Structures are given as structure tokens and as C-alpha cells.
Amino acid sequence: MRNPLNRSLWREFKQNLARYLAIMVVMVLMISVVSGFLSVVYSSKDLLYKNQDECNVENGQFAVTQTLNKDTKDKIEDLNLSLYENFYSEQDVNDDTMVRVYKTRKNVNIQSIYEGRLPNKENEIALDRLFAEKNNYKIGDTIKLNKKNIKIVGTIAVPDYTSLIEKNSDLMMDAIHFGVAIVNQDTFDNFKKDNVTYNYSYVLDEKDVNDKQNYDKLNDIRDICTENGYMLTNMMTAEMNQCISFLPNDMGGDIPMIETLFYIILVILAFIFVVISETIIEDQSTVIGTLLASGYTKNELTRHYMALPIIITFLSAVIGNIAGYTLLPTYFTNLYYGSYCLPPLEIKFIPSAFISTTIVPLIFMIVINYLMLSRKLKMAPIRFLRRDTHKNKVRKHINLKRGSFFRRFQIRVILQNKGSYFTLFVGIIFASFIFVFGLIMQPTIDKYMEITKDSVKTEYQYVLKAPVELKKSQRAEKLTFTSLETYYEPANMNLDISFYGLENDSKYYGDVSLPKDKDEVTISYDFAQKMGLKKGDTVTFTNTYTEKDYKFKVYDIYDYRAGFSAYLTRENLNKILKEDENYYNGYLSNKKLDIDEEYIQSKITKNDVAKIGEQMTESFGQMIPIMTSVSIIIYLVVMYILTKLVIDRNSGNMSFLKVMGYDDKEIKKLYLNATTIVVLVSLIVSAPLSYFTMDRLMKFAFMRFAGYIEIYMPYYLYALVLVLGLLVYSIVSFIINKTIQRIDLGEALKDTE
């Protein structure tokens, strides 16, 4: 026979329609966002590995100063690998934008067509899809390279450039100023021969090799090249190559953070349901007592009161998943594809995402509500009939003697509804955290760029392939530069550290305290913060080309915030590198130097720093609107539901006060102002607490970021959190005030013994 108690579920839902719809809105919103995000991330992850396999992505690469002869190639291929030419030419589009041009690939790192076709005629080109989008290039347009207009016939994605990183030491992708392109053989031959990099890619015959085995194989290649008289200008495994490894290492890194935020919201909503259920039980205590006395079991009543939260959660999960798989994938795809270079994406059903967004919420609701209800409903029927629904133990009476009647009454209201107010406090804290998360990224990036620009000491920094003397009319400061690696355990990765061998009386780095002992080193602030180093600590660095380790003691920490760097005297660094004491391979200057491009290994300007800021703003800026919207909705829902519950639980008392002559304004002062105190305290605490939590969370989120970013929260954001919270609360307060006005005087005469 159908359970007659089920009839009351629909009545309860209709009577508190606004309350339950508000919860559903938050649940649907969160489930759809998480479902859409996870479906895109997991589908992209599958696509990435499938594309790398089908397009035969390289296991590593190396570059030499001239083409390899057949004998050297044969010796390298005897190492159980396949070797492929992967030459490229770097062509400037304008002063700060460059395209790395390859010939059409047929055997390794094979390109995937995104739109259009591959170039098959002279003066045709296919651009990387992301670079084309960022620079507003369309198929049919022309791009000027090598003083020639070349027609764009397609957009592509290549597996060895899923992240457009110009130099492997760069902190960020830069699809605005750096791109990759494919041309046919005739077009490639038209580019200057002296601007071609003789790069070779290799693919191992064995597929299941670890990073160490792959690195050993690369060292064997280095030895063969050196023995045959070839000078290497670059060598790295696929794992060392950020263009290949950055996306696989980053992809999925946001999943734990997003799921954690989602589960915290679920816990808050579950406890809101607990508070709602407690309110219903207190309101229907005589009915529950009668039902228990009539033969209904505790388990039957527990299942009854659990039904509505479970039904709402289930419906929210269904609607949220439908929206997540149909409406939101486009947004998150654009988010991912706005930073990374992948072939066209096909969204798939992801079982693990379904578990996270449907099964887990239901388990949360079932477990939390069951524990609360089973504890609440284990009392004897007589206690329900007497409306004695509090805990068995006698509550300690708090004697309030000081303060006005209104102040003491408000304190009583807070103490009597401490469970609701605690949930309100947690909800506001969490909503503030999401709000801060959405808004803090832009000022953090702006502050990072400001500090970074101030840290860059010269307008130009040149690193040379070999020492080159300048013309007499040019003035510049010599330096020795090298790059070493150190192991960063928390992220299980190696960090590239730039070593500067400076003059003792350096014009540009005069404020650096250089150690005299060659076993000591001064390190940059960013490096010290990332690694958790302080003065006197010992750190080990490795030369990846020679596998030689160097141990240094931290002599001082220099306030340089533009990357990971270490500083010694040029004399000491030359000794460490076993070079002549007058050796140098770089220049520092505030003016552009006239050096043949053939001898320049890299050139860094202050404009390069600005490029990083542009890309970071582009990447993170798209998250701000959705995070801000979610936080405001949570603010509204949490404040409205819990404030309304306090009013509902005390509606009988309010009715008594009306009978005694108190008007609506005075009742609002007694009850609603008590809530205002809790909201105000919560908002004041939430901003600094959100900053503290964000600081720790972002260190975790940026763990694999090859740089160090400190969270910066300007004072206006603290004020903005407070103002937004009060604005949202004023809307809720206005709605609740109307509820107080509708409370009937006759309520006081109901259920009177």
C-alpha cells in the first residue's frame, strides 16, 4: 500500500517553494559547471594522448650547427631509434612577433588539420590554429614573412607544440607573439639559409621507456655527435620540452581543486538541508510523536524526511548533467583551446565525471541527513508530543545581565539558532572565497608584472653562442651565462636556473651581494620562495649536458622577481665551467647591440616580460565572470535560506510579541538585526581568511608553474567583499522583512497547551 506520508512531501515542497528552488539553483549551477568542466578536461586528455600516439610525437630532439652526415646518422640510429630531420626557420612577422616555420611533416610530429588544407604550392602556409586566432588571421588572408606575402590556406595543430612556448625557459605560453607554421619544400627553401636551425627529432623503438632511460639515450646521442665533430646547441627529451610536456603535466591539475570546491558546497547544502529538517521536525513534533505512538518506526520516519533532499539532489544532478554536457562544454572548450593547441574536440561521456557529479552528491545527502535524522528521531514519542526536541542533556543557562533588553534578546536569538548561524557563517566564508578567487587573479597578475618589470635591470640581455667582440662605438657589460637544473620535490620536476657571472663592479647589478667563495651563490627571491630556501642552506644543481652536479651554499637572497636565477662573480663562474678567466658569452646593455643574428643564442628585453603578462591575463581572465557569478548566487541562496529559517523557527515567538504590542519594526530589530550581526562578523572575517586560504591554494595550483607568483589582494578588494556581502544581505533583508509583516497574530494561539 502506498505510504500516506508521501502526500506531505509535495505539500512541504509547495509551502517552501522559494527555499527549495534556491537550493536547486545552486545545485544545478554547480553540477552543470563541474560536469561541463570535467567532460571537457577528460575528453581533452583522451584526445591529447590519442593525438600524440597517432601523430608519432617525438621522444626527444637535439639541434646542431650543421647537418649530420650519413655516417653519424647511422651511428645514432643504431641506438634503436628512428631519426628525422625537423629543421625550422624563425621568421619575424613584426618587431615582437615571430613564427617558427617547418616543412610539411610526414613521419614524426605529424600535423593535424583544424580547418582548410595543408600548403601544396609555393607561398602557401598553414598556421597554428591558436596563433591564427590570437592574431586575427583567417584562411585566405596573407601573412608577411621574409618580406613576402604568403597566403594562409589552413590552420593546424602539431603534437610537439600543444603549448606555444618560444624558449624552453619561458614561464608561460605566448600564442600572441609566437606561432608555428607549415610550408612546402619550395617555400621553405626560399628562407635564408643562415636562419635555419638544424633540429633533429628521434622516436625510440621501445615505447615503454621511462624518463631516465630516455635521457640516457639522449646523452648517447650527444656523445656520438661530439665524437664526430658536431656542436650541439640544444638537446632535450620530450619530458624536458615544455612545448610537449606542459599540457600533459598541467591537464587535470585543476580537477582536484574544482572537485574540492564542489564537495565543500555540497557539504554546506547538506547541512542546510539538515537545518531545514530540524526546523520541520520541531514544527511537526506533535505529529511525529503521534505517528511513533501509532506504530510508525523511526526508520520509516527517517526515510520520509530524507526523501525530499534526495529527490531534489537527484533532479538537480539530472538537470545539471544535461546542461553540463550540452550547454557548458563550449565555454570550457574555448577556455582550454584559448591556451592550448589541440585538434578539434569531441565531447564524450565520462563515467568518473558522472560519479563525481551524481553519485557523490547523493551519497553526501544520504549520509549527512541520515546521521542527523536518526539521532534526532531516536527520542521517545512523549518528548515529541511535549515539543521537547532538544538534546537529552540539560543545557547550561547563560545569564545575561548587561546591556539593553533588545541587545540581550538578540544574543538569545543567536544562541538559540547557533546551528543555523554557524552554517550561515561557513556559507558566507565560502562564497567570499569564490568571489575573491574570481577577482584576485587580475590584480595578482598586474602586481606580478609591475614587480617583474622593476626587477629587470637592463633593456637588453644577449646570450651568445660564442664570444663576439663589439664595435668600438658600442658599450656593453660582459657576463658569463649558463643554465643549470635543480630538483623541485613537491612537483617532482626539474627547474631551470639561470646562472649569471657578473663583474664585481657591475653597472646593472651593483646591488647584488656577490660571494667571494666559488662554493657559494646568491639566489633570486623567486627561487628562494619556490624552493623554501634561506641563507646558509645548501642546494644542488645539475648540468643536463654533462650530468655533473654542483653544490652551493646560499650566500644571500637578492630581491629579483623576474625568474629563477643565481649570481656569482664572472671569475668564479668561469672556474666552475672550466673556462678561461676572461671568458664571456653574453652582454648586458640598455641599447640594442649590432650583433650578427648567427651568433645570438637568445635575446631578452623588457618587452618580453610584458608578453608574459598579456598571456597570463588572456588565460585567467575568462574565469573571472563565472567565479563572480557563482559567488553572488551562493551569497543570495545561503543568506536567504538560513535567514528565512531563523524567522520560520521563531514565527510563534514573533506572533506573541505582536500580541504584546510590538510592531514590525521592533520585531525586525530583535530578530533580523541578530542575523545582521552574524552576517557582518562573517563578512569581516571572510576577506582575510579568504586571502590566507587563497595563498596556500594557489601555491598548490601553481606547483608545476616554472615561476613563482605571490597572491596580491589590494585593499579595495577587502572593501569590495564587505560591500557586496552587505548589498546581497540588504536584498535578502528586504524579502525577509516582508515575511515578518505577514506573520499572523493568531499564530501565538496555535498549539497552545
Side-chain angles (χ1 to χ4, degrees), residues 683-746:
L683 289 171
I684 292 172
V685 172
S686 65
L689 191 60
S690 296
Y691 171 80
F692 177 82
T693 307
M694 182 67 64
D695 183 55
R696 269 89 189 137
L697 184 65
M698 294 311 289
K699 284 179 180 177
F700 173 77
F702 282 101
M703 189 177 292
R704 296 195 65 85
F705 177 58
Y708 180 75
I709 297 180
E710 284 186 321
I711 290 298
Y712 173 68
M713 187 170 176
Y715 291 116
Y716 74 82
L717 269 186
Y718 288 93
L720 193 59
V721 171
L722 183 62
V723 170
L724 175 73
L726 291 176
L727 182 63
V728 171
Y729 178 66
S730 65
I731 297 171
V732 173
S733 179
F734 176 79
I735 298 171
I736 297 299
N737 192 41
K738 296 295 182 182
T739 303
I740 293 174
Q741 293 174 7
R742 289 195 296 267
I743 292 177
D744 187 13
L745 276 72

Side-chain angles (χ1 to χ4, degrees), residues 425-627:
F425 173 80
V426 174
I428 291 174
I429 294 292
F430 186 72
S432 299
F433 172 77
I434 297 177
F435 182 65
V436 168
F437 184 84
L439 294 185
I440 204 173
M441 291 311 301
Q442 191 60 55
T444 294
I445 294 169
D446 292 341
K447 187 67 175 179
Y448 173 76
M449 297 312 303
E450 178 187 333
I451 293 173
T452 301
K453 285 181 180 179
D454 291 341
S455 295
V456 177
K457 300 299 181 181
T458 60
E459 293 293 335
Y460 293 90
Q461 175 184 305
Y462 293 86
V463 177
L464 309 173
K465 296 177 182 177
V468 176
E469 289 295 334
L470 299 175
K471 296 177 182 177
K472 291 183 179 180
S473 59
Q474 298 186 97
R475 292 288 183 270
E477 185 177 301
K478 294 178 180 178
L479 82 153
T480 301
F481 177 89
T482 192
S483 180
L484 301 178
E485 286 188 350
T486 189
Y487 181 63
Y488 179 50
E489 187 175 359
N492 189 28
M493 64 183 290
N494 291 318
L495 299 177
D496 284 319
I497 313 300
S498 300
F499 272 69
Y500 292 84
L502 303 170
E503 302 290 352
N504 284 309
D505 56 348
S506 174
K507 172 184 174 182
Y508 302 102
Y509 288 88
D511 55 342
V512 179
S513 183
L514 296 175
K516 294 180 180 179
D517 192 332
K518 71 174 185 178
D519 294 328
E520 292 183 327
V521 67
T522 294
I523 63 175
S524 65
Y525 174 86
D526 279 6
F527 179 42
Q529 291 295 112
K530 184 82 171 182
M531 296 287 293
L533 296 171
K534 57 184 182 298
K535 290 182 184 180
D537 288 350
T538 300
V539 58
T540 301
F541 299 94
T542 304
N543 186 322
T544 56
Y545 295 99
T546 64
E547 294 186 309
K548 186 174 181 179
D549 290 340
Y550 303 90
K551 283 191 176 181
F552 291 98
K553 183 179 178 182
V554 177
Y555 174 76
D556 195 15
I557 296 173
Y558 177 51
D559 190 26
Y560 179 78
R561 308 195 184 195
F564 299 152
S565 52
Y567 307 90
L568 305 87
T569 63
R570 185 154 68 96
E571 180 184 358
N572 282 344
L573 186 54
N574 286 343
K575 286 180 182 178
I576 291 167
L577 298 177
K578 295 183 179 179
E579 298 285 357
D580 183 80
E581 61 178 288
N582 295 318
Y583 173 81
Y584 68 93
N585 65 343
Y587 284 110
L588 299 173
S589 175
N590 280 332
K591 292 184 179 179
K592 188 174 182 179
L593 302 178
D594 184 16
I595 303 175
D596 194 321
E597 291 290 334
E598 183 179 354
Y599 298 103
I600 297 175
Q601 182 173 315
S602 66
K603 179 176 68 177
I604 301 173
T605 69
K606 281 195 174 182
N607 289 334
D608 295 328
V609 177
K611 293 178 186 178
I612 298 172
E614 283 183 54
Q615 185 60 40
M616 291 177 73
T617 302
E618 187 82 16
S619 299
F620 295 115
Q622 299 176 68
M623 287 296 293
I624 293 175
I626 191 167
M627 298 302 294

Side-chain angles (χ1 to χ4, degrees), residues 268 272 423-424 427-428 634-643:
I268 292 172
I272 288 176
T423 308
L424 177 62
I428 291 174
I634 292 176
Y635 260 135
L636 277 168
V637 169
V638 172
M639 286 186 182
Y640 171 75
I641 291 176
L642 295 175
T643 306

Side-chain angles (χ1 to χ4, degrees), residues 71-89:
D71 183 54
T72 305
K73 287 182 184 178
D74 290 341
K75 287 179 180 178
I76 292 174
E77 291 194 323
D78 286 341
L79 297 173
N80 296 320
L81 57 83
S82 298
L83 189 65
Y84 303 96
E85 289 185 358
N86 203 14
F87 301 167
Y88 62 81
S89 175

Side-chain angles (χ1 to χ4, degrees), residues 270-280 419-420 423 642 645 649:
F271 276 104
I272 288 176
F273 271 124
V274 165
V275 175
I276 291 172
S277 298
E278 285 184 337
T279 304
I280 294 171
S420 300
T423 308
L642 295 175
L645 281 172
R649 294 177 90 170

